[in-house]
Amino acid sequence: MHRSRAGLVYWFGKNPVADPGVLGVFRRSCGVVCAWLLGASSPLGAAVAEFRNGDFSAGLEGWETEGEVQVTSGFALQLDSAAAIARLYQSVEIDRGFWEISFNFQHAFSSQSTVGVLVDTGFATLFLSEDPFQAPANLGELPVDPPAGQQALELFDADFRGLREVGGTVELLGSRPGWSRFTATFRSDGGYLTPFLELVDQNFIDGDSAAAYDDFLLVRIPEPSAGFLLLGWAAAWCWIRRRRPRRG
């Protein structure tokens, strides 16, 4: 028998009937909990709520847009041409729990300013709501305050100087020069999730800024704390059994 497998059989018990006693119960409890943890932490155990057309292979199908947004070379591209704001978003129904959202991005913002110190800026916000997200009716209205029943999580702001107010992690993509991948984790009480991406033309110069996005992914994060709590309960129960005086 392989050494690692022998260790698993020793701790978890190959045959519950042939392994009686407190140690046997504890071994089998460990087996159940560890199997649960391995299943939850494996790729097959992680629930995935897919974005519809998250890689934009089917154009903008499944996505809501405002202003000038187009698909170029397999990714979504926001431009500041005629409209003051370009928006890209999609609502996905999710269950209660912890989730991770990630996507690729590349920004090319202008440093020119014609009104005070305002420059073209990008905003990435994550909305959590009980119902599908409803964007503001007025194209010039920024959703600074989320509507009733919605929670707004700031992912990042961006301009020619880079990212600000980053609510996650960013890593460079070696396979795609100039691109980065953003990742953030959050907790949801269930309902809908909506990544909401904006390019705001604040210098009023058309065609001098752009923002590209691609490969949106949403994965549910397993919560192993419950398993460790169960394992602790099993250990405590076994400790009480061992300390209980035997009759006779």
Side-chain angles (χ1 to χ4, degrees):
M1 181 179 293
H2 193 273
R3 183 177 179 182
S4 61
R5 179 173 175 81
L8 291 175
V9 171
Y10 170 77
W11 275 106
F12 304 154
K14 184 175 182 180
N15 187 344
V17 178
D19 189 20
V22 174
L23 183 58
V25 174
F26 182 64
R27 290 174 184 171
R28 293 191 296 276
S29 298
C30 290
V32 172
V33 173
C34 289
W36 182 87
L37 290 175
L38 290 174
S41 59
S42 67
L44 294 179
V48 178
E50 295 184 355
F51 285 100
R52 183 182 177 187
N53 187 32
D55 60 357
F56 300 99
S57 58
L60 291 172
E61 181 179 341
W63 293 87
E64 300 290 337
T65 63
E66 297 177 15
E68 185 167 355
V69 182
Q70 58 187 246
V71 172
T72 302
S73 300
F75 56 83
L77 184 65
Q78 296 176 319
L79 300 172
D80 67 336
S81 54
I85 301 177
R87 287 171 169 161
L88 174 70
Y89 58 97
Q90 179 181 154
S91 291
V92 177
E93 188 172 7
I94 59 176
D95 297 329
R96 180 175 182 176
F98 289 88
W99 294 83
E100 177 183 275
I101 184 174
S102 59
F103 55 86
N104 299 340
F105 69 92
Q106 183 182 39
H107 295 152
F109 291 111
S110 171
S111 60
Q112 298 187 65
S113 173
T114 56
V115 181
V117 294
L118 297 179
V119 295
D120 291 348
T121 305
F123 300 95
T125 308
L126 187 65
F127 285 93
L128 303 178
S129 57
E130 298 176 358
D131 301 313
F133 177 77
Q134 296 293 329
N138 182 5
L139 187 61
E141 178 185 353
L142 291 176
V144 177
D145 297 321
Q150 295 183 355
Q151 179 184 3
L153 305 179
E154 186 174 24
L155 301 182
F156 58 74
D157 299 345
D159 59 21
F160 72 95
R161 290 161 291 195
L163 301 184
R164 305 185 309 275
E165 306 295 334
V166 180
T169 60
V170 178
E171 61 177 344
L172 297 176
L173 293 179
S175 59
R176 300 178 71 174
W179 285 80
S180 300
R181 188 160 187 85
F182 175 86
T183 304
T185 58
F186 61 95
R187 182 184 181 279
S188 171
D189 290 329
Y192 291 85
L193 162 146
T194 307
F196 193 79
L197 309 168
E198 298 177 294
L199 190 163
V200 184
D201 182 11
Q202 298 189 129
N203 64 7
F204 300 104
I205 300 176
D206 292 342
D208 64 338
S209 294
Y213 297 94
D214 195 10
D215 292 334
F216 283 78
L217 183 64
L218 185 62
V219 179
R220 184 170 185 173
I221 301 175
E223 303 179 51
S225 58
F228 286 113
L229 182 62
L230 179 60
L231 184 59
W233 175 87
W237 183 83
C238 291
W239 180 79
I240 295 174
R241 286 285 302 270
R242 289 180 64 89
R243 290 182 58 88
R244 182 179 300 172
R246 297 183 179 179
R247 297 180 181 178

